[in-house]
Amino acid sequence: MFLQDDELIRSRAHQLWLHEGQPEGRALEHWLTAQREHAANEVAAPWYDRAFAGPEIDWMRRVLWKPQPFVATH
């Protein structure tokens, strides 16, 4: 997983370098920019494995996330 991420970041950093006219001495800046962009585009993985937790997830939704009645207060 990390090698694939590094390759994506390296590719994006190279694109940034080319786009800015191939300046010298800014490799770290391009790498960090590409790394931030990559982190912003990643979707967080759920804390559970959906393949094994199906019935438990349904139970938790029914029990824990049950809508509560609205009570008006003045």
Side-chain angles (χ1 to χ4, degrees), residues 4 16-17 27 32 34-35 42 54 60-63 70 72 74:
Q4 183 181 9
L16 292 169
W17 177 69
L32 294 175
Q35 200 173 40
E42 283 192 351
M60 288 183 352
R61 283 188 180 131
R62 281 195 313 273
V63 173
F70 176 75
H74 292 262

Side-chain angles (χ1 to χ4, degrees), residues 2-4 7 9 14 33 39-40 42-43 46 48-49 54 64-65 69-70 73-74:
F2 291 111
L3 293 176
Q4 183 181 9
E7 285 302 316
I9 293 168
H14 186 256
T33 300
E42 283 192 351
V43 176
Y48 56 88
D49 186 351
L64 301 175
W65 295 304
F70 176 75
T73 58
H74 292 262

Side-chain angles (χ1 to χ4, degrees), residues 7-55:
E7 285 302 316
L8 291 171
I9 293 168
R10 184 184 334 273
S11 175
R12 179 62 181 141
H14 186 256
Q15 288 174 353
L16 292 169
W17 177 69
L18 290 173
H19 179 74
E20 292 183 10
Q22 304 173 358
E24 299 243 351
R26 297 190 47 210
L28 180 60
E29 180 182 339
H30 293 131
W31 179 269
L32 294 175
T33 300
Q35 200 173 40
R36 279 192 301 272
E37 289 177 2
H38 181 71
N41 290 330
E42 283 192 351
V43 176
W47 57 270
Y48 56 88
D49 186 351
R50 291 176 196 252
F52 298 106

